[in-house]
Amino acid sequence: MLFFTQCFGAVLDLIHLRFQHYKAKRVFSAAGQLVCVVNPTHSLKYAPTRCAAVQASTEQGILPPCHHHEAVHDPQLVPCTCPLFSCPWEGHLEVVVSHLRQTHRINILQGAEIVFLATDMHLPAPTDWIIMHSCLGHQFLLVLRKQEKYEGHPQFFATMMLIGTPSQANNFTYRLELNRNQRRLKWEATPRSILECVDSVLSDGDCLVLNTSLAQLFSDNGSLAIGIAITTSKVLSSEAEV
Amino acid sequence: MLFFTQCFGAVLDLIHLRFQHYKAKRVFSAAGQLVCVVNPTHSLKYAPTRCAAVQASTEQGILPPCHHHEAVHDPQLVPCTCPLFSCPWEGHLEVVVSHLRQTHRINILQGAEIVFLATDMHLPAPTDWIIMHSCLGHQFLLVLRKQEKYEGHPQFFATMMLIGTPSQANNFTYRLELNRNQRRLKWEATPRSILECVDSVLSDGDCLVLNTSLAQLFSDNGSLAIGIAITTSKVLSSEAEV
C-alpha cells in the first residue's frame, strides 16, 4: 500500500514539474530557449562571513579568498566554491566544475540563453537555487539565494560567477531578466570570478536584488523564471547608451 | 561682505550644478537626451499610511483613494496628489498639473526620453526627488524616494505615475534605467494612475527598488542618473520576449 502511495506521489511530482516546465516555456517562448527547473536546497554551510577581507588579492589572479579551512599553500589550488556546503576539497581551477558536478550534484546546462526556473520560492530563508551554465567556452555558476538581511524580511539575491579568474570574467557580460505581470526587470553586469566569494558578492548586494513583493509579482504559482544570457563584454564597455 | 560671500556661494553652486549636468550628459550621451538636475526635498507630509484601503475603487475611474482630508463629495474632484505636502486642495483631474506646478513648484519636462539626475543621494531618509514629465500628450509624475522600511537600512524606490485615470495609464509603459560601473539595471512597467496613492505604490515595493550599496554603485559623486523613457504599451503586452 505504501509502495502505491509513493508511486502516486512520484507521478504527481512529475506532472507538477512538467506543468511548471510547460508554463515557463510559454512565458519564455523565444525560439529554442532551454528551460531548466531548479529545485531549492537548504544551505547546510555555516558561513555567513566565511570570506575574510582578502578580496583585494583576487585581482592578481589565482589565490582564492574563500578558504574556510586551513590556508592553501599551493597557489595553484583553489578550495571548493560550492555555496551550499563547507567542503574541505581543494584542487586546480580546471577541475572545479567536475568537482561541483560529481560531489555536489550541481547540474550543468549548455546554451547562450537559458531560462532558470526556481521552484518553491515560498520556502524559508536561507535557501539556495544553484546551477552551472556552460556557454562561450566557459562555465558559469548561477546562484539565487533567499536570505534575511533584515530579520523577518527575506529578500532574493541572484548573481552569476565565472568558474575562472577575474581577468577572464572581465571578458563577459551576463544578463538576468524577469518578465511577468506587465513588469520587466533586467540586471546586466560583468560576472565576478568564482575566486571571489559568492557569499560576499550576494551579501554586498552587488547583484540582482528582489524584495518579497516583487518576487511574488514575478512568480507564477511559486516558481520564478529568470531568463539568462551571456555575451562577450563589448556591450557594457561604453556606458553611453541608455 | 556677507553679500559677496553669498554671491560666491551662489556661483559655486551654479558651477557644481553645471558640472553635474555635464557629467550626466556624458554618461547619457544618446543624442538629444534632456538631462534634468532634480534637487531633493525632505517630505513635510505626515502620511505613511494616509491611503485608506479603498484602492479597489480606483479601477472604476475618478474617485480618489488618497483623500487625507474630509471625504470628497463631488466624484469629479481629486485631492492634491503631491507626495510632499499634506495639501487641502482638491480640483478636477485636468488642473492637477497646474496645481502641482504653481503651488508645489514641481518642474515639468518635455521629451520622450529624459535623464533624471537626482542630487545629494546621501541625505537622510525620508527624502523625495520629484519631477513631472510631459510626453505623448500626457503628464507623468516621477517620484524617487529614500525611505527606511527597515530601521537603519534606507532604500530607494522609484516609480512613474500617470496624471490621469487607471484606464489611461494602461496605455503606456515606462522604463527607468541605471547604467554605470559596468552594471545596468532596467525596470519596465505600466505606470500607475495618480488616483492610486504614490505612497502605497512605493511602500508596496511594486517599483524600482535599490538598496544602498547598489545606489552607491550607480551614483556618481552623490548624484544618481536615471534614464526615463515612455512608450505606448504594446511592448509589454506579450510577455514572450526575453
Side-chain angles (χ1 to χ4, degrees):
Chain A
M1 183 64 195
L2 183 67
F3 174 74
F4 286 111
T5 314
Q6 283 183 338
C7 280
F8 185 65
V11 168
L12 276 185
D13 281 354
L14 274 173
I15 292 172
H16 180 67
L17 279 178
R18 189 71 215 158
F19 183 61
Q20 282 180 323
H21 184 267
Y22 168 76
K23 276 197 299 188
K25 269 197 127 161
R26 191 166 49 82
V27 174
F28 294 88
S29 63
Q33 276 197 329
L34 183 65
V35 175
C36 175
V37 176
V38 184
N39 292 314
T41 314
H42 194 80
S43 177
L44 296 174
K45 194 185 62 187
Y46 165 72
T49 57
R50 73 188 176 108
C51 304
V54 288
Q55 295 213 339
S57 66
T58 56
E59 285 308 309
Q60 277 102 58
I62 304 298
L63 184 66
C66 293
H67 36 90
H68 46 289
H69 44 84
E70 60 273 16
V72 178
H73 298 297
D74 182 344
Q76 297 299 314
L77 296 183
V78 300
C80 170
T81 53
C82 178
L84 297 172
F85 304 99
S86 253
C87 166
W89 181 90
E90 60 186 36
H92 288 265
L93 194 52
E94 295 73 23
V95 288
V96 167
V97 172
S98 60
H99 170 73
L100 291 176
R101 286 186 77 170
Q102 287 158 19
T103 309
H104 302 299
R105 307 276 169 209
I106 298 178
N107 283 333
I108 191 162
L109 285 173
Q110 303 277 339
E113 297 200 9
I114 61 171
V115 176
F116 177 101
L117 184 70
T119 65
D120 302 310
M121 300 291 287
H122 63 278
L123 287 180
T127 299
D128 283 353
W129 291 258
I130 295 177
I131 206 159
M132 282 188 291
H133 181 190
S134 178
C135 174
L136 301 171
H138 285 79
Q139 280 78 37
F140 299 83
L141 187 71
L142 177 74
V143 183
L144 170 67
R145 176 167 295 175
K146 185 175 187 177
Q147 196 170 20
E148 286 190 13
K149 277 180 103 170
Y150 317 118
E151 210 184 313
H153 300 282
Q155 289 177 293
F156 294 88
F157 304 86
T159 192
M160 204 141 200
M161 317 278 291
L162 175 76
I163 302 176
T165 64
S167 59
Q168 287 174 320
N170 281 336
N171 297 325
F172 298 97
T173 296
Y174 74 97
R175 188 184 73 206
L176 305 180
E177 179 168 338
L178 304 170
N179 186 9
R180 201 172 169 266
N181 270 330
Q182 293 186 295
R183 288 158 184 85
R184 184 180 290 175
L185 186 63
K186 270 190 205 179
W187 165 259
E188 277 178 56
T190 303
R192 306 282 278 269
S193 158
I194 200 81
L195 300 177
E196 301 178 69
C197 189
V198 178
D199 294 338
S200 66
V201 170
L202 295 176
S203 65
D204 288 351
D206 182 11
C207 56
L208 176 65
V209 184
L210 287 180
N211 56 24
T212 315
S213 54
L214 266 189
Q216 278 171 352
L217 278 168
F218 284 115
S219 294
D220 185 14
N221 206 16
S223 294
L224 184 73
I226 306 178
I228 302 168
I230 297 178
T231 52
T232 49
S233 63
K234 300 294 175 286
V235 180
L236 280 184
S237 62
S238 109
E239 293 186 347
E241 184 203 344
V242 180
Chain B
M1 183 63 194
L2 183 66
F3 174 74
F4 286 112
T5 315
Q6 283 184 339
C7 281
F8 185 64
V11 168
L12 276 185
D13 280 354
L14 275 173
I15 292 171
H16 179 65
L17 278 178
R18 188 73 215 156
F19 182 61
Q20 282 180 325
H21 183 267
Y22 167 75
K23 276 198 299 186
K25 269 198 126 159
R26 190 167 48 81
V27 173
F28 293 88
S29 64
Q33 275 195 331
L34 182 67
V35 175
C36 175
V37 176
V38 184
N39 292 315
T41 313
H42 193 80
S43 177
L44 297 174
K45 193 185 60 186
Y46 164 72
T49 56
R50 73 186 177 110
C51 304
V54 288
Q55 295 215 338
S57 67
T58 56
E59 285 309 307
Q60 276 100 59
I62 305 298
L63 185 67
C66 293
H67 37 91
H68 45 290
H69 43 85
E70 60 274 17
V72 178
H73 297 299
D74 181 347
Q76 297 297 313
L77 298 183
V78 301
C80 170
T81 52
C82 177
L84 297 172
F85 304 99
S86 252
C87 167
W89 181 90
E90 62 186 33
H92 287 266
L93 194 54
E94 294 74 24
V95 288
V96 167
V97 172
S98 60
H99 169 73
L100 292 176
R101 286 185 79 169
Q102 286 158 18
T103 309
H104 302 300
R105 306 274 170 213
I106 298 178
N107 283 333
I108 190 161
L109 286 172
Q110 303 278 340
E113 296 201 8
I114 62 171
V115 176
F116 176 101
L117 185 70
T119 64
D120 302 312
M121 299 290 287
H122 63 278
L123 286 181
T127 300
D128 284 353
W129 291 257
I130 295 179
I131 206 160
M132 282 187 291
H133 181 190
S134 178
C135 174
L136 301 172
H138 285 79
Q139 281 78 39
F140 299 83
L141 187 71
L142 178 74
V143 183
L144 170 67
R145 175 166 295 175
K146 185 176 186 177
Q147 195 170 21
E148 286 191 10
K149 277 180 100 169
Y150 317 119
E151 209 183 316
H153 300 282
Q155 289 177 292
F156 294 88
F157 303 86
T159 192
M160 204 141 201
M161 316 278 291
L162 175 75
I163 303 178
T165 63
S167 58
Q168 287 174 320
N170 282 336
N171 296 325
F172 298 97
T173 297
Y174 74 97
R175 188 183 73 205
L176 305 179
E177 179 167 338
L178 305 170
N179 186 9
R180 205 174 166 264
N181 271 329
Q182 294 187 295
R183 288 158 184 84
R184 184 179 290 175
L185 186 63
K186 269 190 207 178
W187 165 259
E188 277 178 57
T190 303
R192 306 282 278 268
S193 158
I194 199 81
L195 299 177
E196 302 178 67
C197 188
V198 177
D199 295 339
S200 65
V201 169
L202 295 175
S203 65
D204 288 351
D206 181 12
C207 56
L208 176 66
V209 184
L210 286 179
N211 56 24
T212 316
S213 54
L214 266 189
Q216 278 171 352
L217 279 167
F218 284 115
S219 295
D220 185 13
N221 205 18
S223 294
L224 184 73
I226 306 178
I228 302 168
I230 297 178
T231 52
T232 48
S233 63
K234 300 295 177 287
V235 180
L236 280 182
S237 61
S238 107
E239 293 187 343
E241 183 202 343
V242 180

